[in-house]
Amino acid sequence: MQVDTLINARWIIPVEPYEIILEHQALVIHEGNILDILPQQQAMQKYQAKQVENLGNHALIPGLINAHTHLAMTLFRGIADDLPLMEWLEQHIWPLEQKWANEAFVRDGTDLAIAEMLRGGTTCFNDMYFFPEITAHQAIQHGIRANVGLIMIDFPTAWADGPEQYLEKGLALHDELRHEPLIRTPFAPHAPYTVADEPLRQISTLADELNLPIHMHVHETLFEVSQGERPLKRLHELGLINPAFIAVHMTQLSNSEITKFAQSGAHIVHCPESNLKLASGFCPVQKCLDAGINVALGTDGAASNNDLDMLGEMRTAALLAKGVAQDASAVSAATALSMATINGAKALGIDDITGSLTIGKAADICAIDLSAIETQPLYNAISQIVYSASRHQVSDVWVAGRHCLKNRQLTTLNIQDLQQNIAQWQEKLSSPLK
């Protein structure tokens, strides 16, 4: 049988089933999907491939899913470090956004972020930012899968003048993109402290009607939860907390809140490095997992991380969870890998499409070269990927069968042009605010 691509790999880690490692197998790609996974000798006899990749030192894992990003803010990387969240936002980020956040800013910042993510094995992201139509366009152009949030915030910005226009523009964009195979458009109200009850009620109703997820920062800091009524209680009362709800951060949780959230079927996106850098608190990940909550993984924006490195995020998530739980078995390597892949797909409502190397799913694949001295000797490929490997060992990435990173070279972005654009933004953003 004629097929598009056949990849022979030393290890294939499908993620589903959990903790399974296949050795000396081949993965077959045809028409953008995974057609088969079988022993290499059988694959060579059964299939004639247009392209054969022999990755004898590599592990194939599902493409990583960065379940919470602000891609355009990559242009703010390192611009106001070592500050608490509200000071960082109010005195630095929001004034810069007011002056500079326009279509060109979002386009170039998104390109920079997509380049970084593809080079680190990420094949899907879940974004929340202004000018989502630009983010979606760049994702389509560069061949990466995306959930592009329909932003909502109470105050005016360069994109919309208030809740009514945010909704109007968001719904129009959803309608425009509904047939794009790589793009989904969840609602993305910013946070309980920046969106009033009425817009949230409208979003809740529309999300039910359109079968769309809702992606929102929740319980990010102690300050947020100490301002009267607990935000989670309010969101429960407004009807938002349900299986389509994605709560990002969740660093301030009581045991009763964990239990009630688990009963709702809603999802958490854990952003350990951003939370650590902003001193926002610790999500009790193992408690949440033990309660039955689906916990995914995100980097947050590169302005507060300061990278979009999902391999690094997996390591931090596993190590931090052990410290918080005071239990060395908390968030194992295999669990961290699940959080960065299938759990992210479940949170975004696309686990029927991606998140595991499963026959019939999209060929969203990351290849990691484990032959480097830094990952030797190798006893368990999953542990080595989570605890020892770096993103610089990612050699190849496919999204829906498209080879977006080939032998460390991006195939859909021009690095030289991108670097020139970023240098211009660095000069602009370094100038004093007036």
Side-chain angles (χ1 to χ4, degrees):
M1 176 182 175
Q2 287 280 348
V3 295
D4 295 331
T5 306
L6 190 151
I7 309 170
N8 293 310
R10 176 66 178 82
W11 301 274
I12 295 178
I13 302 166
V15 172
E16 290 183 320
Y18 180 74
E19 228 170 1
I20 291 295
I21 302 172
L22 306 173
E23 297 195 51
H24 302 294
Q25 300 270 306
L27 186 148
V28 183
I29 302 172
H30 191 59
E31 296 180 347
N33 294 325
I34 299 170
L35 179 67
D36 206 349
I37 298 174
L38 71 171
Q40 292 174 9
Q41 280 298 112
Q42 292 181 27
M44 297 301 286
Q45 293 167 4
K46 186 174 180 180
Y47 298 106
Q48 293 79 50
K50 297 174 188 173
Q51 185 71 34
V52 176
E53 302 286 343
N54 292 309
L55 303 179
N57 299 312
H58 293 64
L60 301 185
I61 63 172
L64 300 168
I65 296 176
N66 191 341
H68 179 62
T69 62
H70 308 285
L71 293 195
M73 294 179 76
T74 307
L75 290 175
F76 293 147
R77 189 195 327 255
I79 210 163
D81 283 338
D82 306 321
L83 297 171
L85 176 64
M86 295 316 295
E87 181 182 347
W88 176 76
L89 281 173
E90 292 173 354
Q91 297 183 28
H92 298 275
I93 298 304
W94 286 346
L96 281 168
E97 285 179 332
Q98 187 173 8
K99 181 173 183 180
W100 293 111
N102 56 26
E103 292 187 11
F105 175 91
V106 172
R107 182 191 65 240
D108 292 342
T110 297
D111 281 356
L112 175 61
I114 290 174
E116 179 178 355
M117 288 191 297
L118 287 172
R119 282 161 55 98
T122 293
T123 58
C124 178
F125 64 86
N126 181 37
D127 201 55
M128 176 192 289
Y129 206 65
F130 311 112
F131 299 98
E133 70 278 12
I134 304 297
T135 304
H137 179 270
Q138 299 311 105
I140 294 165
Q141 180 178 337
H142 302 312
I144 192 168
R145 196 176 301 280
N147 272 33
V148 179
L150 308 177
I151 187 77
M152 165 64 74
I153 199 163
D154 281 348
F155 49 80
T157 64
W159 194 62
D161 59 18
E164 186 175 331
Q165 191 174 31
Y166 284 107
L167 271 182
E168 179 185 327
K169 295 182 78 168
L171 289 170
L173 183 60
H174 165 72
D175 192 54
E176 178 187 335
L177 296 173
R178 69 186 188 278
H179 298 305
E180 285 289 345
L182 293 178
I183 306 295
R184 299 293 176 93
T185 50
F187 287 105
H190 173 259
Y193 58 88
T194 54
V195 186
D197 285 0
E198 185 51 37
L200 288 178
R201 287 192 190 95
Q202 289 179 274
I203 285 173
S204 181
T205 300
L206 288 166
D208 286 344
E209 290 175 0
L210 298 171
N211 193 29
L212 295 179
I214 298 174
H215 167 211
M216 188 179 198
H217 302 102
V218 183
H219 282 219
E220 184 172 1
T221 64
L222 181 61
F223 176 80
E224 178 189 341
V225 301
S226 62
Q227 303 301 298
E229 183 182 44
R230 301 273 290 187
L232 266 177
K233 181 175 182 292
R234 173 179 162 230
L235 295 176
H236 274 290
E237 290 170 350
L238 288 169
L240 268 75
I241 311 295
N242 58 47
F245 190 76
I246 307 163
V248 182
H249 299 304
M250 297 285 266
T251 69
Q252 313 292 321
L253 291 173
S254 67
N255 288 338
S256 62
E257 285 172 333
I258 291 172
T259 299
K260 188 172 183 180
F261 196 85
Q263 291 168 350
S264 75
H267 312 268
I268 290 174
V269 177
H270 178 39
C271 301
E273 294 187 5
S274 176
N275 294 156
L276 283 167
K277 184 165 181 283
L278 294 169
S280 297
F282 307 107
C283 178
V285 173
Q286 191 59 50
K287 274 189 178 181
C288 293
L289 291 169
D290 289 344
I293 298 170
N294 179 54
V295 183
L297 199 58
T299 59
D300 208 351
S304 64
N305 183 298
N306 289 11
D307 59 42
L308 303 172
D309 179 4
M310 286 293 290
L311 280 173
E313 211 73 33
M314 279 195 284
R315 183 180 304 114
T316 302
L319 298 179
L320 181 63
K322 298 174 195 308
V324 169
Q326 297 184 25
D327 177 1
S329 68
V331 182
S332 68
T335 297
L337 181 58
S338 292
M339 289 168 63
T341 54
I342 191 61
N343 291 12
K346 289 175 181 175
L348 305 187
I350 55 174
D351 53 306
D352 59 329
I353 297 171
T354 191
S356 63
L357 300 182
T358 301
I359 293 170
K361 286 192 180 184
D364 295 355
I365 305 164
C366 167
I368 304 173
D369 184 352
L370 295 177
S371 67
I373 196 73
E374 291 82 4
T375 41
Q376 295 294 316
L378 193 151
Y379 304 109
N380 181 289
I382 297 175
S383 290
Q384 213 73 334
I385 287 166
V386 173
Y387 293 127
S388 302
S390 81
R391 58 178 167 174
H392 305 295
Q393 290 169 257
V394 173
S395 66
D396 294 80
V397 170
W398 291 262
V399 182
R402 183 181 185 183
H403 209 163
C404 295
L405 183 74
K406 184 176 175 62
N407 194 23
R408 291 295 297 159
Q409 299 300 310
L410 291 164
T411 66
T412 65
L413 283 125
N414 184 303
I415 289 291
Q416 288 72 33
D417 290 348
L418 179 59
Q419 287 175 324
Q420 289 178 4
N421 289 341
I422 302 315
Q424 292 171 5
W425 278 110
Q426 181 179 339
E427 185 175 348
K428 292 176 186 175
L429 293 165
S430 300
S431 61
L433 287 169
K434 295 179 182 178

